[in-house]
Amino acid sequence: MQPHSPEFPDLDLSALAAHASCLDDYDPNAMSVTQARHYIQQFLSPVSETATVAIKDSLGRVLAVPVTSGLNVPGHDNSAMDGFAFRHAEGGNALKIIGTAFAGVPYTAEIPPGCCIKIMTGAVIPPGVDTVIMQEHTATEGEWVTLTKLPALGANIRLTGEDIAAGQTVLAPGHRIQPADMGLLASLGIAGVEVYRRLKVAFFSTGDELVSVGQPLQQGQIYDSNRYSLWGVLQAAGVEMHDLGNVADDPAALEKTLLQAAAEHDVVITTGGVSVGEADFMKQLLAEHGQVLFWKINMKPGRPLAYGKIGDAHYFGLPGNPVSAMVTFYQFVQDALKHLAGTASLVSPTFKVECVDAIKKATGRTEFQRGILFKEGTDWKVKTTGQQGSGILSSMSLANCFIVLDEKTGALQAGALVDVQPFHGVC
């Protein structure tokens, strides 16, 4: 994959690092969140391979080609409600009811002057009439109906092609298929769509202190939670993922796992081994086999981050701290995966709401505090999950959003407006 940005048309990561080092604002030991996102974006090009999948298998897949309608929706003028179809010019008189039009069973006889037909929702509008009145605005007596409230000419009629016209593009390339889209495709008689193949993502943890779930803990050991958090967020991202387990701090084992993962996947994600003071086997291997930039992001939590390429695979080295690993995934990896998968829209929505808690913070770095977005009356508000230490994994479990505080923001009093970034739909 080649860098897609015209700003760096032919640079590899080594050249980019050299180029960036000449910039006044490039400091790998104090990289801003915005800068890190910008540099990563230079090297992301979507996958090109595609496949055709059936509608029922398309949920979450990304369209590779536009979907164009081959027919009008609706395919005929039809009634928007149950009522009576009549000529608007005759609406001031009592009208004789001469028949009924049902959805799927059109009324085909001629409708003489002074007459109307009863019509059901979805039924074809027959020739000769131009308006539908809802039955609630009529009074019937035997075979006659009187209009008690004359509607506007053409009222309550859905016109041919009013929703979708034949030849119209209804879904653009890069659109991620949602449940409503599946129904839309079916309504157009489209049985399958061409989508980009799923990204292949491998991930593993590093560290001798980590133990997999189900094994007894020895003194000084902890359970490896990062792989399970990554499994969840990657599953939600709709990628093809492979959990390679926990790899001990052994150069040979790390090298074998890393190179095999890079050869067989589009993206490799590791946790641990990229901070100052940690075992430096990963850094040595990455320097030997890839082109990797190591940054200290000016953020809390999640300061250490590595990004680069190992062969053709993109590499993300996340912190070993569980909360930091999740925060850096959400802020850097998630959008990168969307871009690589061909998704057109990468913007994570943020909006301002009142924070009911006071917040302690120093200026100078971006913080992603874990928050709970909730509704109070008619207003949305947010509160923190409590203690915000990077070792408190329960803060991520309790949260449904990040409270995003930029580097210019300091301590805040309760009632201040803050930016929130929901994880997903608020529940």
Side-chain angles (χ1 to χ4, degrees):
M1 298 180 184
Q2 295 298 319
H4 77 285
S5 171
E7 185 176 353
F8 302 107
D10 299 310
L11 298 182
D12 62 15
L13 278 163
S14 299
L16 176 58
H19 174 91
S21 66
C22 298
L23 301 178
D24 292 339
D25 63 348
Y26 183 83
D27 182 355
N29 292 311
M31 176 73 67
S32 74
V33 172
T34 300
Q35 287 173 319
R37 288 173 178 157
H38 172 74
Y39 285 118
I40 291 171
Q41 284 294 319
Q42 312 311 312
F43 285 84
L44 302 178
S45 297
V47 296
S48 57
E49 300 90 343
T50 65
T52 300
V53 299
I55 292 178
K56 288 184 177 180
D57 298 322
S58 67
L59 183 64
R61 302 298 295 270
V62 179
L63 282 176
V65 297
V67 173
T68 302
S69 176
L71 46 81
N72 290 311
V73 179
H76 48 262
D77 293 353
N78 69 89
S79 178
M81 59 186 57
D82 294 344
F84 296 89
F86 67 101
R87 297 178 180 87
H88 190 268
E90 299 176 344
N93 304 314
L95 301 171
K96 185 177 182 179
I97 306 168
I98 62 171
T100 302
F102 296 93
V105 184
Y107 183 85
T108 57
E110 182 181 352
I111 301 175
C115 297
C116 68
I117 62 166
K118 192 170 185 178
I119 194 164
M120 302 301 161
T121 302
V124 175
I125 302 296
V129 296
D130 54 23
T131 306
V132 172
I133 185 171
M134 64 175 67
Q135 60 186 12
E136 291 84 352
H137 293 165
T138 65
T140 58
E141 186 175 346
E143 61 182 7
W144 293 88
V145 62
T146 301
L147 282 54
T148 58
K149 184 179 180 181
L150 184 65
L153 174 65
N156 303 317
I157 294 178
R158 302 188 188 113
L159 299 177
T160 302
E162 182 179 284
D163 183 7
I164 299 171
Q168 177 182 336
T169 296
V170 292
L171 296 174
H175 179 80
R176 190 176 184 187
I177 298 293
Q178 304 299 312
D181 301 324
M182 299 166 72
L184 174 63
L185 293 168
S187 75
L188 300 176
I190 296 173
V193 288
E194 188 173 350
V195 297
Y196 290 114
R197 68 163 175 83
R198 292 189 188 276
L199 282 181
K200 297 178 181 178
V201 180
F203 60 99
F204 61 92
S205 301
T206 64
D208 290 336
E209 77 281 10
L210 300 177
V211 176
S212 295
V213 172
Q215 300 180 15
L217 288 177
Q218 304 298 322
Q219 187 173 9
Q221 294 181 326
I222 59 174
Y223 284 118
D224 180 7
S225 62
N226 284 339
R227 285 177 24 243
Y228 294 88
S229 296
L230 285 175
W231 181 278
V233 290
L234 290 171
Q235 188 174 47
V239 303
E240 180 183 322
M241 54 190 173
H242 295 95
D243 177 4
L244 303 183
N246 173 51
V247 183
D249 290 325
D250 171 74
L254 284 169
E255 182 176 45
K256 179 180 178 181
T257 304
L258 184 66
L259 294 181
Q260 183 174 350
E264 299 174 353
H265 299 84
D266 302 297
V267 179
V268 179
I269 303 172
T270 65
T271 60
V274 294
S275 297
V276 173
E278 293 185 294
D280 60 1
F281 298 133
M282 279 297 296
K283 293 181 180 179
Q284 293 174 2
L285 288 172
L286 293 169
E288 180 180 351
H289 296 290
Q291 304 173 71
V292 179
L293 304 177
F294 292 90
W295 295 321
K296 293 177 182 176
I297 308 297
N298 201 15
M299 63 184 282
K300 180 184 178 181
R303 184 168 171 77
L305 176 70
Y307 168 72
K309 300 288 286 293
I310 303 171
D312 290 330
H314 294 266
Y315 170 77
F316 290 91
L318 307 185
N321 179 287
V323 176
S324 298
M326 288 205 71
V327 173
T328 51
F329 179 92
Y330 275 116
Q331 298 308 319
F332 302 105
V333 184
Q334 181 170 254
D335 282 355
L337 294 180
K338 289 179 182 178
H339 189 110
L340 291 170
T343 306
S345 176
L346 303 177
V347 178
S348 297
T350 61
F351 51 92
K352 289 187 179 294
V353 300
E354 177 188 338
C355 182
V356 300
D357 297 325
I359 293 179
K360 295 181 179 180
K361 180 187 180 292
T363 59
R365 64 182 174 189
T366 300
E367 289 194 15
F368 297 92
Q369 298 207 7
R370 280 70 73 201
I372 301 172
L373 191 61
F374 65 97
K375 197 169 187 180
E376 185 174 273
T378 58
D379 298 322
W380 284 98
K381 297 184 179 183
V382 70
K383 59 184 177 181
T384 71
T385 57
Q387 293 294 322
Q388 294 291 306
S390 60
I392 304 175
L393 185 54
S394 60
S395 68
M396 285 297 302
S397 183
L398 292 171
N400 60 11
C401 70
F402 289 120
I403 300 172
V404 184
L405 308 170
D406 65 24
E407 59 268 22
K408 296 180 181 179
T409 301
L412 298 173
Q413 298 295 319
L417 292 178
V418 296
D419 287 319
V420 296
Q421 184 186 72
F423 296 162
H424 42 68
V426 178
C427 56

